[in-house]
Amino acid sequence: MTVNMTKGQAISLQKNDGGTLTAVRMGLGWQAAPRRGLFGSRTREIDLDASAVLFADKQPVDVVFFRHLVSDDGSVRHTGDNLVGGVGQGGDDEAILVDLQRVPVHIDQIIFTVNSFTGQTFQEVQNAFCRLVDETNGDELARYTLAGGGQYTAQIMAKVHRAGPGWQMTALGTPANGRTFQDLMPAILPHL
């Protein structure tokens, strides 16, 4: 059963049967919004990028994004860059896989961000979402919908963080500006 998350909402990443999740996929999907022009509606390609920044005691120690597809320890993996989005009908355009059992114990938070590498604002994006999937069985656990557009080029989407012996996810949905995850670091820090 999917939980449709709202900004700031946290969910436990514990299975309904009491077991613990071992591998999750953070999926990102989007489409370019049609724009009205002199000769009708048209769309412009939009390159959104998903990134995962790994933190240990509030310090960034690794990042997974389109230019560094696998974390140094191998526990987090990006499936590859999608330059246009719009795979359609709810599918993931980019995904980041996290093997929770392999994440080193000193890593206590993973922040997921989305940014418009080409600099378009989210007013030019529609049907954008971030979702968490149990990678062992394909069940969607949570979905955060990016609604309303806005004059910003990035979003701090969600974080997965240690909570006792397990993990928890919090939907953040914080607008920001920047073309890369490095540009977003000042906006990420308050969420640690």
Side-chain angles (χ1 to χ4, degrees), residues 3-165:
V3 175
N4 288 313
M5 299 183 73
T6 58
K7 184 176 180 175
Q9 181 180 2
I11 63 164
S12 171
L13 297 185
Q14 195 138 34
K15 291 186 174 191
N16 290 337
D17 64 6
T20 304
L21 287 174
T22 57
V24 295
R25 174 174 22 109
M26 182 65 68
L28 167 66
W30 75 92
Q31 295 174 328
R35 297 173 54 185
R36 292 192 182 272
L38 194 56
F39 301 105
S41 292
R42 59 185 171 79
T43 59
R44 182 175 155 201
E45 292 179 348
I46 296 179
D47 179 10
L48 295 185
D49 291 318
S51 301
V53 185
L54 289 70
F55 287 88
D57 198 26
K58 299 187 179 186
Q59 297 298 313
V61 294
D62 202 354
V63 65
V64 173
F65 69 116
F66 69 92
R67 288 190 179 142
H68 183 71
L69 295 175
V70 180
S71 62
D72 293 341
D73 59 56
S75 66
V76 182
R77 186 172 48 92
H78 195 297
T79 59
D81 195 13
N82 182 319
L83 301 176
V84 297
V87 167
Q89 296 69 21
D92 298 335
D93 294 311
E94 290 193 11
I96 297 175
L97 307 168
V98 182
D99 184 341
L100 294 168
Q101 293 181 314
R102 289 185 59 202
V103 174
V105 295
H106 70 285
I107 304 293
D108 53 9
Q109 298 184 67
I110 303 171
I111 304 282
F112 295 93
T113 66
V114 177
N115 55 276
S116 172
F117 187 74
T118 47
Q120 291 114 322
T121 69
F122 279 94
Q123 287 180 321
E124 299 177 61
V125 176
Q126 69 180 10
N127 302 325
F129 65 86
C130 174
R131 70 187 190 129
L132 192 71
V133 176
D134 181 343
E135 201 53 17
T136 61
N137 61 18
D139 288 348
E140 183 174 282
L141 304 170
R143 177 178 285 257
Y144 179 72
T145 302
L146 172 60
Q151 286 291 338
Y152 46 90
T153 60
Q155 180 123 143
I156 314 304
M157 291 297 284
K159 73 176 176 177
V160 173
H161 51 100
R162 293 190 188 272

Side-chain angles (χ1 to χ4, degrees), residues 158-179:
K159 73 176 176 177
V160 173
H161 51 100
R162 293 190 188 272
W167 292 86
Q168 189 170 26
M169 176 187 171
T170 302
L172 300 171
T174 303
N177 283 297
R179 293 180 55 239

